Amino acid sequence: MKIQKKAVIALVGLLAAVLSACGGTAGGSATGGSTVTVYTVDGLEDWYTQRFDEFKAQTGITVQVVTAGSGEVASRVEKEKSNPQADILVTLPPFIQRVADEGLLSPVTIAGAEKVPAGERDPQGRYTAMIDNYLSFIDNPKQAVPAPKTWDDLLDGRFKGKLQYSTPGQAGDGTAVLIQLQHVFGKQGALDYLAKLQANNVGPSSSTGKLQPKVAKGELLVANGDLQMNLAEIDKSGGFEVFFPADATGKRSTFALPYYAGEVTGAPHADNAKKLLDFLFSPEVQAKAADAYGLPARADVTATGPKADKFKAALQGVDVWQPDWSQVLNDLDGDLAAYKKATGQ
Protein backbone atom coordinates (compact mmCIF):
# COMPACT_ATOMS: atom_id res chain seq x y z
CA MET A 1 0.00 0.00 0.00
CA LYS A 2 2.84 2.40 0.80
CA ILE A 3 4.41 1.73 -2.59
CA GLN A 4 1.09 2.38 -4.38
CA LYS A 5 0.57 5.61 -2.40
CA LYS A 6 4.03 6.86 -3.37
CA ALA A 7 3.34 6.03 -7.00
CA VAL A 8 0.09 7.99 -6.96
CA ILE A 9 1.80 11.00 -5.35
CA ALA A 10 4.57 10.88 -7.96
CA LEU A 11 2.01 10.69 -10.78
CA VAL A 12 0.09 13.66 -9.41
CA GLY A 13 3.34 15.62 -9.18
CA LEU A 14 4.25 14.71 -12.75
CA LEU A 15 0.85 15.81 -14.06
CA ALA A 16 1.14 19.09 -12.20
CA ALA A 17 4.55 19.72 -13.75
CA VAL A 18 3.24 18.96 -17.24
CA LEU A 19 0.28 21.29 -16.78
CA SER A 20 2.56 24.01 -15.47
CA ALA A 21 4.85 23.64 -18.48
CA CYS A 22 1.88 24.09 -20.79
CA GLY A 23 1.41 27.53 -19.27
CA GLY A 24 -2.14 27.30 -17.92
CA THR A 25 -4.93 29.41 -19.34
CA ALA A 26 -4.79 32.93 -20.72
CA GLY A 27 -4.30 35.70 -18.22
CA GLY A 28 -4.18 33.92 -14.95
CA SER A 29 -5.34 30.49 -14.03
CA ALA A 30 -4.25 28.96 -10.73
CA THR A 31 -1.37 27.36 -12.65
CA GLY A 32 1.26 29.89 -13.69
CA GLY A 33 -1.21 32.79 -13.64
CA SER A 34 1.26 35.20 -12.02
CA THR A 35 3.81 34.89 -14.84
CA VAL A 36 4.33 36.15 -18.38
CA THR A 37 6.90 34.79 -20.82
CA VAL A 38 8.89 36.97 -23.21
CA TYR A 39 10.89 35.60 -26.13
CA THR A 40 13.38 38.34 -27.01
CA VAL A 41 16.35 39.13 -29.18
CA ASP A 42 19.53 39.78 -27.21
CA GLY A 43 20.82 43.26 -26.41
CA LEU A 44 18.46 44.48 -23.69
CA GLU A 45 19.30 42.04 -20.90
CA ASP A 46 20.35 44.57 -18.24
CA TRP A 47 17.50 46.93 -19.10
CA TYR A 48 14.99 44.10 -18.88
CA THR A 49 16.24 43.11 -15.44
CA GLN A 50 15.46 46.54 -14.03
CA ARG A 51 12.18 47.06 -15.86
CA PHE A 52 10.81 43.60 -15.09
CA ASP A 53 11.67 44.00 -11.41
CA GLU A 54 9.68 47.25 -11.46
CA PHE A 55 6.80 45.51 -13.24
CA LYS A 56 6.71 42.72 -10.66
CA ALA A 57 6.73 45.26 -7.83
CA GLN A 58 3.72 46.98 -9.39
CA THR A 59 1.69 43.94 -10.45
CA GLY A 60 3.07 40.85 -8.69
CA ILE A 61 3.63 39.27 -12.10
CA THR A 62 6.98 37.55 -12.72
CA VAL A 63 8.48 37.91 -16.21
CA GLN A 64 10.20 34.82 -17.60
CA VAL A 65 12.69 35.66 -20.36
CA VAL A 66 14.07 33.52 -23.21
CA THR A 67 16.89 35.30 -25.08
CA ALA A 68 18.44 34.36 -28.44
CA GLY A 69 19.17 35.78 -31.89
CA SER A 70 16.30 37.61 -33.58
CA GLY A 71 15.72 34.91 -36.19
CA GLU A 72 16.00 32.18 -33.58
CA VAL A 73 13.32 33.58 -31.25
CA ALA A 74 11.02 34.13 -34.23
CA SER A 75 11.57 30.54 -35.39
CA ARG A 76 10.80 29.25 -31.91
CA VAL A 77 7.41 31.00 -31.96
CA GLU A 78 6.76 29.46 -35.37
CA LYS A 79 7.68 25.96 -34.19
CA GLU A 80 5.40 26.30 -31.16
CA LYS A 81 2.41 27.43 -33.23
CA SER A 82 0.24 24.50 -32.14
CA ASN A 83 1.19 24.91 -28.47
CA PRO A 84 2.36 28.49 -27.80
CA GLN A 85 4.73 28.93 -24.88
CA ALA A 86 5.56 32.62 -25.30
CA ASP A 87 3.24 35.50 -24.47
CA ILE A 88 5.28 38.32 -26.01
CA LEU A 89 7.80 38.34 -28.85
CA VAL A 90 10.45 41.07 -29.10
CA THR A 91 12.61 40.89 -32.20
CA LEU A 92 13.99 42.89 -35.12
CA PRO A 93 12.66 43.42 -38.64
CA PRO A 94 11.99 41.68 -40.93
CA PHE A 95 11.41 38.75 -38.56
CA ILE A 96 8.62 40.50 -36.65
CA GLN A 97 6.81 41.13 -39.96
CA ARG A 98 7.30 37.51 -41.03
CA VAL A 99 5.82 36.13 -37.81
CA ALA A 100 2.90 38.54 -38.05
CA ASP A 101 2.18 37.57 -41.66
CA GLU A 102 2.03 33.93 -40.55
CA GLY A 103 -0.79 34.82 -38.16
CA LEU A 104 1.34 34.25 -35.06
CA LEU A 105 0.90 37.74 -33.56
CA SER A 106 -2.47 38.98 -32.34
CA PRO A 107 -3.82 42.51 -32.83
CA VAL A 108 -3.74 44.25 -29.46
CA THR A 109 -4.40 47.83 -28.37
CA ILE A 110 -1.38 48.93 -26.34
CA ALA A 111 -1.84 52.06 -24.26
CA GLY A 112 0.44 54.72 -25.73
CA ALA A 113 1.26 52.82 -28.93
CA GLU A 114 -0.62 55.45 -30.93
CA LYS A 115 2.22 57.84 -30.04
CA VAL A 116 4.70 55.69 -32.01
CA PRO A 117 5.16 57.05 -35.55
CA ALA A 118 2.94 55.27 -38.08
CA GLY A 119 5.94 53.96 -40.00
CA GLU A 120 7.11 52.02 -36.94
CA ARG A 121 3.90 50.21 -36.07
CA ASP A 122 1.69 47.69 -37.79
CA PRO A 123 -1.62 49.19 -39.02
CA GLN A 124 -3.35 46.06 -37.70
CA GLY A 125 -1.81 46.45 -34.23
CA ARG A 126 0.14 43.18 -34.31
CA TYR A 127 3.54 44.72 -33.52
CA THR A 128 4.94 48.11 -32.52
CA ALA A 129 8.45 49.54 -32.22
CA MET A 130 9.41 49.66 -28.54
CA ILE A 131 12.98 51.03 -28.59
CA ASP A 132 14.71 52.62 -31.59
CA ASN A 133 18.09 51.27 -32.70
CA TYR A 134 20.36 51.31 -35.78
CA LEU A 135 22.73 49.04 -37.70
CA SER A 136 26.40 49.68 -36.90
CA PHE A 137 29.86 48.07 -37.03
CA ILE A 138 32.59 47.71 -34.42
CA ASP A 139 36.38 47.41 -34.51
CA ASN A 140 39.18 46.86 -32.03
CA PRO A 141 40.96 50.26 -31.91
CA LYS A 142 44.21 48.85 -30.50
CA GLN A 143 44.72 46.18 -33.14
CA ALA A 144 42.75 47.35 -36.18
CA VAL A 145 45.29 50.05 -37.04
CA PRO A 146 44.62 52.04 -39.11
CA ALA A 147 40.93 51.80 -38.24
CA PRO A 148 38.65 50.75 -41.10
CA LYS A 149 36.53 53.58 -42.45
CA THR A 150 35.01 52.30 -45.69
CA TRP A 151 33.42 49.17 -47.11
CA ASP A 152 36.52 48.72 -49.29
CA ASP A 153 38.72 48.77 -46.17
CA LEU A 154 36.98 45.63 -44.92
CA LEU A 155 38.25 43.74 -47.99
CA ASP A 156 41.88 44.35 -46.97
CA GLY A 157 43.88 41.16 -46.43
CA ARG A 158 44.88 42.27 -42.91
CA PHE A 159 41.38 41.30 -41.81
CA LYS A 160 41.61 37.74 -43.08
CA GLY A 161 40.24 35.46 -40.35
CA LYS A 162 39.67 38.52 -38.16
CA LEU A 163 36.29 39.69 -39.47
CA GLN A 164 32.86 38.22 -38.85
CA TYR A 165 29.26 39.27 -39.34
CA SER A 166 26.13 37.53 -38.10
CA THR A 167 24.39 35.41 -40.69
CA PRO A 168 21.62 36.95 -42.81
CA GLY A 169 18.38 35.04 -42.31
CA GLN A 170 19.40 33.93 -38.82
CA ALA A 171 20.19 37.23 -37.10
CA GLY A 172 18.36 40.51 -37.57
CA ASP A 173 21.62 42.47 -37.56
CA GLY A 174 23.08 40.05 -40.09
CA THR A 175 20.06 40.43 -42.34
CA ALA A 176 20.53 44.18 -41.92
CA VAL A 177 24.07 43.91 -43.30
CA LEU A 178 22.67 42.39 -46.50
CA ILE A 179 19.97 45.07 -46.73
CA GLN A 180 22.49 47.87 -46.14
CA LEU A 181 24.83 46.54 -48.82
CA GLN A 182 21.92 46.32 -51.25
CA HIS A 183 21.26 49.99 -50.51
CA VAL A 184 24.90 50.92 -51.11
CA PHE A 185 25.78 48.69 -54.07
CA GLY A 186 22.48 47.41 -55.46
CA LYS A 187 21.38 43.77 -55.21
CA GLN A 188 23.97 42.24 -57.53
CA GLY A 189 26.66 44.58 -56.27
CA ALA A 190 25.93 43.48 -52.69
CA LEU A 191 26.37 39.83 -53.67
CA ASP A 192 29.60 40.60 -55.50
CA TYR A 193 30.91 42.48 -52.47
CA LEU A 194 29.99 39.72 -50.01
CA ALA A 195 31.61 37.12 -52.24
CA LYS A 196 34.87 39.11 -51.96
CA LEU A 197 34.42 39.68 -48.24
CA GLN A 198 34.14 35.94 -47.71
CA ALA A 199 37.93 35.69 -48.02
CA ASN A 200 38.17 37.52 -44.67
CA ASN A 201 35.00 36.23 -42.99
CA VAL A 202 35.47 33.73 -40.14
CA GLY A 203 32.13 32.07 -40.86
CA PRO A 204 28.48 31.96 -39.84
CA SER A 205 27.18 33.32 -36.52
CA SER A 206 23.55 33.18 -35.40
CA SER A 207 23.99 35.88 -32.74
CA THR A 208 25.48 39.34 -33.18
CA GLY A 209 25.89 39.81 -29.44
CA LYS A 210 28.41 36.97 -29.28
CA LEU A 211 30.75 38.88 -31.61
CA GLN A 212 31.29 41.80 -29.22
CA PRO A 213 33.55 40.02 -26.69
CA LYS A 214 35.55 38.51 -29.55
CA VAL A 215 36.31 41.96 -30.93
CA ALA A 216 37.12 43.27 -27.45
CA LYS A 217 39.62 40.43 -26.91
CA GLY A 218 41.18 40.82 -30.36
CA GLU A 219 40.01 37.41 -31.60
CA LEU A 220 38.20 39.48 -34.22
CA LEU A 221 39.13 42.95 -35.43
CA VAL A 222 35.83 43.84 -37.08
CA ALA A 223 32.21 42.72 -36.68
CA ASN A 224 28.73 43.99 -37.32
CA GLY A 225 26.45 45.12 -34.53
CA ASP A 226 23.70 47.52 -33.60
CA LEU A 227 24.20 50.89 -31.99
CA GLN A 228 22.22 50.30 -28.78
CA MET A 229 23.86 47.00 -27.95
CA ASN A 230 27.33 48.22 -28.91
CA LEU A 231 27.21 51.42 -26.84
CA ALA A 232 25.82 49.54 -23.85
CA GLU A 233 28.68 47.02 -23.99
CA ILE A 234 31.30 49.74 -24.46
CA ASP A 235 29.95 51.45 -21.35
CA LYS A 236 30.16 48.19 -19.41
CA SER A 237 33.49 46.73 -20.49
CA GLY A 238 34.90 48.64 -23.47
CA GLY A 239 37.40 47.08 -25.86
CA PHE A 240 35.92 48.24 -29.17
CA GLU A 241 34.52 51.30 -30.94
CA VAL A 242 31.56 51.93 -33.24
CA PHE A 243 31.80 52.99 -36.88
CA PHE A 244 29.61 53.21 -39.98
CA PRO A 245 31.40 52.13 -43.19
CA ALA A 246 31.45 54.77 -45.93
CA ASP A 247 30.85 54.20 -49.62
CA ALA A 248 33.18 55.28 -52.43
CA THR A 249 31.95 58.90 -52.14
CA GLY A 250 32.62 59.03 -48.41
CA LYS A 251 28.94 58.85 -47.48
CA ARG A 252 28.11 56.90 -44.32
CA SER A 253 24.60 55.54 -43.97
CA THR A 254 22.47 53.24 -41.84
CA PHE A 255 18.83 52.49 -41.11
CA ALA A 256 16.63 51.92 -38.09
CA LEU A 257 16.45 48.46 -36.54
CA PRO A 258 13.86 48.95 -33.78
CA TYR A 259 13.15 46.41 -31.10
CA TYR A 260 9.57 45.49 -32.05
CA ALA A 261 7.14 43.95 -29.57
CA GLY A 262 3.93 42.02 -30.13
CA GLU A 263 1.61 39.59 -28.37
CA VAL A 264 1.83 35.96 -29.53
CA THR A 265 -1.35 34.43 -30.90
CA GLY A 266 -2.74 32.00 -28.34
CA ALA A 267 -0.55 33.49 -25.59
CA PRO A 268 -1.04 31.34 -22.48
CA HIS A 269 -1.12 34.48 -20.30
CA ALA A 270 -2.70 37.03 -22.63
CA ASP A 271 -4.01 39.30 -19.86
CA ASN A 272 -0.58 39.50 -18.26
CA ALA A 273 1.00 40.10 -21.68
CA LYS A 274 -1.29 43.09 -22.22
CA LYS A 275 -0.33 44.48 -18.80
CA LEU A 276 3.37 44.12 -19.58
CA LEU A 277 3.04 45.76 -23.01
CA ASP A 278 1.11 48.68 -21.50
CA PHE A 279 3.89 49.01 -18.93
CA LEU A 280 6.70 48.93 -21.52
CA PHE A 281 5.00 51.62 -23.62
CA SER A 282 4.15 53.89 -20.70
CA PRO A 283 5.86 57.32 -20.79
CA GLU A 284 7.80 56.54 -17.62
CA VAL A 285 9.33 53.35 -19.01
CA GLN A 286 9.86 54.75 -22.50
CA ALA A 287 11.85 57.60 -20.97
CA LYS A 288 14.18 54.98 -19.48
CA ALA A 289 15.13 53.64 -22.93
CA ALA A 290 18.24 55.79 -22.69
CA ASP A 291 19.34 53.69 -19.71
CA ALA A 292 20.09 50.98 -22.28
CA TYR A 293 21.53 53.39 -24.88
CA GLY A 294 18.31 53.25 -26.87
CA LEU A 295 15.78 55.89 -27.89
CA PRO A 296 12.08 55.76 -26.96
CA ALA A 297 9.82 54.73 -29.82
CA ARG A 298 7.08 57.07 -28.60
CA ALA A 299 7.39 60.41 -30.40
CA ASP A 300 6.05 62.28 -27.37
CA VAL A 301 8.84 61.01 -25.08
CA THR A 302 12.32 62.52 -25.29
CA ALA A 303 15.40 60.67 -24.07
CA THR A 304 17.74 62.85 -22.05
CA GLY A 305 21.02 62.44 -20.22
CA PRO A 306 24.60 61.48 -21.13
CA LYS A 307 23.68 58.09 -22.63
CA ALA A 308 21.07 59.62 -24.93
CA ASP A 309 23.62 62.27 -25.92
CA LYS A 310 26.21 59.59 -26.80
CA PHE A 311 23.64 57.72 -28.90
CA LYS A 312 22.70 60.85 -30.84
CA ALA A 313 26.34 61.90 -31.23
CA ALA A 314 27.23 58.53 -32.78
CA LEU A 315 24.73 59.19 -35.57
CA GLN A 316 26.02 62.67 -36.36
CA GLY A 317 26.92 62.90 -40.05
CA VAL A 318 25.36 59.49 -40.81
CA ASP A 319 22.55 59.41 -43.38
CA VAL A 320 19.55 57.47 -42.06
CA TRP A 321 17.36 55.87 -44.72
CA GLN A 322 14.15 53.82 -44.44
CA PRO A 323 13.77 50.31 -45.96
CA ASP A 324 10.46 49.18 -47.38
CA TRP A 325 9.98 46.26 -44.99
CA SER A 326 7.10 44.80 -46.99
CA GLN A 327 9.37 44.60 -50.04
CA VAL A 328 12.26 43.29 -47.95
CA LEU A 329 10.09 40.48 -46.61
CA ASN A 330 8.68 39.71 -50.05
CA ASP A 331 12.19 39.36 -51.52
CA LEU A 332 13.86 37.79 -48.48
CA ASP A 333 13.78 34.11 -49.43
CA GLY A 334 15.20 34.81 -52.88
CA ASP A 335 17.80 37.21 -51.52
CA LEU A 336 18.95 34.71 -48.90
CA ALA A 337 19.23 31.94 -51.49
CA ALA A 338 21.31 34.24 -53.68
CA TYR A 339 23.45 35.20 -50.69
CA LYS A 340 24.18 31.57 -49.82
CA LYS A 341 25.11 30.82 -53.40
CA ALA A 342 27.40 33.85 -53.65
CA THR A 343 29.24 33.19 -50.38
CA GLY A 344 29.06 29.40 -50.19
CA GLN A 345 27.67 29.61 -46.64
Side-chain angles (χ1 to χ4, degrees), residues 112-123 127-132 134 256 258 260 281 286 295-301 322:
E114 74 279 1
K115 300 296 184 179
V116 177
E120 292 192 347
R121 52 187 165 92
D122 176 43
Y127 54 86
T128 305
M130 181 177 70
I131 292 180
D132 280 334
Y134 297 85
Y260 279 97
F281 282 86
Q286 283 281 294
L295 294 180
R298 285 182 56 151
D300 63 332
V301 178
Q322 177 61 47

Side-chain angles (χ1 to χ4, degrees), residues 3 51-52 69 152 168 179 193 216-217 236 255 271 283 296 302 310:
I3 295 176
R51 301 295 82 79
F52 293 163
D152 282 348
I179 296 168
Y193 176 86
K217 294 174 184 177
K236 188 161 50 174
F255 61 92
D271 289 348
T302 301
K310 286 182 181 180

Side-chain angles (χ1 to χ4, degrees), residues 179 254-256 321-328:
I179 296 168
T254 189
F255 61 92
W321 64 282
Q322 177 61 47
D324 179 345
W325 290 112
S326 296
Q327 189 63 49
V328 169

Side-chain angles (χ1 to χ4, degrees), residues 177 234 250 293:
V177 171
I234 289 171
Y293 281 101

Side-chain angles (χ1 to χ4, degrees), residues 225-248:
D226 63 67
L227 188 55
Q228 174 276 324
M229 181 172 62
N230 293 157
L231 290 178
E233 185 62 26
I234 289 171
D235 190 25
K236 188 161 50 174
S237 58
F240 55 83
E241 62 184 5
V242 172
F243 73 103
F244 298 88
D247 63 18

Side-chain angles (χ1 to χ4, degrees), residues 155 185-198 338 342-343:
L155 299 177
F185 297 112
K187 285 204 172 188
Q188 185 57 50
L191 295 174
D192 294 341
Y193 176 86
L194 287 166
K196 296 176 183 176
L197 189 65
Q198 195 61 22
T343 62

